[in-house]
């Protein structure tokens, strides 16, 4: 039976006689400076990922030899941090552009499988109290467990009929709901919401809401901007502050909430595949969502390894919340009472 030459060539590059090229690149043969400039991360970080993902990326194959986990990780990091499948990058590690695409898919899924390991709210009271103390030290806002906001990431149009991913600017995107702590570590990341959904609708339907309403921390809350509805566990700014206490509350709220905006800029700066400068993510919404989540996992791992917490803002346009200045009025009387008590107790 004849084998199509295009399939044969791809298999040779991935598994067959072309395996000699797969071993051409060795981490020990290059400098840290080269690794950071080409793949975005230093040697120690890459070696950690090889240890973390190696078993998953070394799944058994009937072929004579598969691409090594090290090479797969380098290919994926190259794409995440540059936003493109550059031929020169594939040449550097000895694989084709098609093989790089497959490596990105493998590494992405391996990271997504571990998302709950690296992106989660702490459970023990001592760590929760540390969260609150760290936030309080920023601007005097008490009881804060995290800051929440949405950001849009541009994707290619799924198909001509599907308008659910068209946002208010007429672009196709995913609306991603994220929560971070005072250092920018992500505590929650839901990256799959269609771009047509307003931020308040995303939060209403999100697993995050279910988590806080069923496992409610009665002496703590998230901070969200005015695109969200006030809730007992979600403090929003006052639309028109009138008293000194209300002004102080809004100022503390704004200074604290700014952490999530800085976190978005850090992620955009580090992972250029998300910032729009190389165009939209050329994948289905599901695969694009997984790539975003994989970058979120890498963001948290990088902070664990002491890599720069706040990166300088980059060019590009990882879209911020489109409802940032659209005030949402709460009808939750209990939530209004909680905020008023907070004003009286801490800002009067």
């Amino acid at each position: 039976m004849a084998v199509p030459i295009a399939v044969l060539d791809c298999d040779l590059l991935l598994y067959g006689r072309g395996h000699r090229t797969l071993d051409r690149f060795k981490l020990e043969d290059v400098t840290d400076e080269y690794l950071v400039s080409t793949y975005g991360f230093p040697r120690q970080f890459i070696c950690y990922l090889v240890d973390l993902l190696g078993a998953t990326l070394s799944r058994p194959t009937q072929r004579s030899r598969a691409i090594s986990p090290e090479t797969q990780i380098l290919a994926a990091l190259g794409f995440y941090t540059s936003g493109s499948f550059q031929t020169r990058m594939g040449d550097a590690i000895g694989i084709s552009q098609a093989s790089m695409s497959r490596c990105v898919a493998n590494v992405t899924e391996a990271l997504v499988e571990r998302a709950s390991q690296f992106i989660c709210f702490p459970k023990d009271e001592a760590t929760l109290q540390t969260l609150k103390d760290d936030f309080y030290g920023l601007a005097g806002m008490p009881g804060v467990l995290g800051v929440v906001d949405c950001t849009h990431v541009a994707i290619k149009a799924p198909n001509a009929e599907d308008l659910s991913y068209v946002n208010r600017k007429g672009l196709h995107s995913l609306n991603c709901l994220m929560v971070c702590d005072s250092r920018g570590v992500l505590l929650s990341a839901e990256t799959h919401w269609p771009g047509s959904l307003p931020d308040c609708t995303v939060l209403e339907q999100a697993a995050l809401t279910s988590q806080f309403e069923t496992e409610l921390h009665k002496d703590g809350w998230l901070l969200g901007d005015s695109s969200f509805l006030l809730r007992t566990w979600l403090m929003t700014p006052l639309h028109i502050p009138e008293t000194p206490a209300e002004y102080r509350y809004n100022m503390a709220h704004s200074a604290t909430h700014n952490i999530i905006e800085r976190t978005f800029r850090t992620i955009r700066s580090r992972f250029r595949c998300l910032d729009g400068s190389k165009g939209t993510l050329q994948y289905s919404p599901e695969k694009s969502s997984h790539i975003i989540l994989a970058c979120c996992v890498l963001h948290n791992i990088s902070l664990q390894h002491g890599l720069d917490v706040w990166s300088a803002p980059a060019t590009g346009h990882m879209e911020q919340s489109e409802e940032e200045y659209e005030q949402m009025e709460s009808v939750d009387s209990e939530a209004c009472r909680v905020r008023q008590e907070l004003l009286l107790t801490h800002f009067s």
Side-chain angles (χ1 to χ4, degrees):
M1 177 179 175
V3 178
I5 187 66
V7 176
L8 179 61
D9 287 344
C10 185
D11 283 348
L12 283 173
L13 280 166
L14 284 168
Y15 306 110
R17 293 188 301 276
H19 74 269
R20 288 187 301 275
T21 63
L22 305 184
D23 292 331
R24 191 174 68 190
F25 186 91
K26 296 292 184 183
L27 275 177
E28 58 267 23
D29 294 338
V30 296
T31 64
D32 269 345
E33 290 74 14
Y34 173 82
L35 292 172
V36 171
S37 64
T38 306
Y39 304 104
F41 293 95
R43 187 186 321 275
Q44 182 180 9
F45 181 88
I46 295 170
C47 290
Y48 173 82
L49 291 182
V50 172
D51 291 339
L52 177 70
L53 306 178
T56 302
L57 298 175
S58 300
R59 293 187 176 102
T61 174
Q62 295 179 348
R63 307 289 201 263
S64 58
R65 189 165 187 177
I67 298 178
S68 69
E70 180 180 286
T71 300
Q72 292 184 61
I73 288 168
L74 289 171
L77 291 178
F79 169 71
Y80 298 146
T81 58
S82 73
S84 65
F85 292 111
Q86 299 178 40
T87 302
R88 65 175 181 83
M89 190 174 296
D91 289 344
I93 54 179
I95 62 174
S96 69
Q97 184 172 323
S99 299
M100 280 196 64
S101 181
R102 189 176 298 189
C103 291
V104 170
N106 291 343
V107 174
T108 295
E109 292 311 305
L111 288 168
V112 168
E113 289 173 4
R114 290 161 177 78
S116 61
Q117 175 183 344
F118 293 98
I119 304 176
C120 60
F121 278 91
K123 300 293 185 182
D124 62 285
E125 288 299 324
T127 307
L128 289 170
Q129 186 59 50
T130 298
L131 274 181
K132 298 175 190 176
D133 292 343
D134 290 344
F135 274 118
Y136 186 79
L138 292 177
M141 179 68 77
V144 181
L145 296 170
V147 288
V148 59
D149 206 349
C150 286
T151 188
H152 285 254
V153 177
I155 62 171
K156 74 172 183 178
N159 57 62
E161 291 75 31
D162 191 351
L163 299 179
S164 64
Y165 293 92
V166 179
N167 61 35
R168 288 170 54 175
K169 295 183 179 180
L171 305 174
H172 290 83
S173 67
L174 290 168
N175 196 1
C176 305
L177 179 73
M178 300 186 192
V179 179
C180 74
D181 70 8
S182 63
R183 298 193 305 118
V185 175
L186 295 174
L187 305 174
S188 177
E190 299 184 35
T191 60
H192 62 283
W193 297 102
S196 65
L197 293 181
D199 293 358
C200 59
T201 303
V202 169
L203 181 62
E204 181 181 344
Q205 299 178 9
L208 178 68
T209 293
S210 176
Q211 177 182 0
F212 267 79
E213 291 187 346
T214 58
E215 306 171 14
L216 185 60
H217 304 289
K218 296 192 180 299
D219 57 345
W221 38 71
L222 302 179
L223 294 189
D225 64 20
S226 58
S227 64
F228 299 114
L229 286 169
L230 179 71
R231 299 170 184 260
T232 56
W233 50 267
L234 176 65
M235 294 292 103
T236 60
L238 290 145
H239 183 35
I240 304 177
E242 297 177 345
T243 68
E246 290 175 347
Y247 276 103
R248 286 192 287 269
Y249 167 85
N250 270 15
M251 289 179 63
H253 188 291
S254 177
T256 307
H257 188 265
N258 184 54
I259 296 295
I260 190 70
E261 297 167 5
R262 295 171 67 189
T263 300
F264 287 156
R265 289 197 297 268
T266 296
I267 294 172
R268 176 185 62 194
S269 177
R270 179 170 281 146
F271 303 107
R272 302 301 296 275
C273 68
L274 307 181
D275 76 354
S277 64
K278 301 293 184 180
T280 62
L281 284 174
Q282 296 297 302
Y283 297 92
S284 68
E286 180 182 9
K287 289 184 177 179
S288 296
S289 169
H290 285 187
I291 288 173
I292 300 167
L293 185 56
C295 290
C296 291
V297 173
L298 289 173
H299 167 77
N300 275 9
I301 295 175
S302 69
L303 297 187
Q304 289 182 6
H305 281 73
L307 301 183
D308 55 328
V309 178
W310 306 119
S311 299
T315 58
H317 51 278
M318 185 176 178
E319 299 287 344
Q320 295 295 317
S321 165
E322 296 181 350
E323 292 82 23
E324 185 174 355
Y325 301 106
E326 180 178 325
Q327 178 67 26
M328 303 295 296
E329 296 295 342
S330 176
V331 295
D332 187 336
S333 59
E334 178 63 15
C336 292
R337 186 197 65 77
V338 170
R339 186 170 64 181
Q340 188 62 29
E341 183 177 333
L342 177 61
L343 280 164
L344 293 173
T345 304
H346 294 279
F347 295 97
S348 294

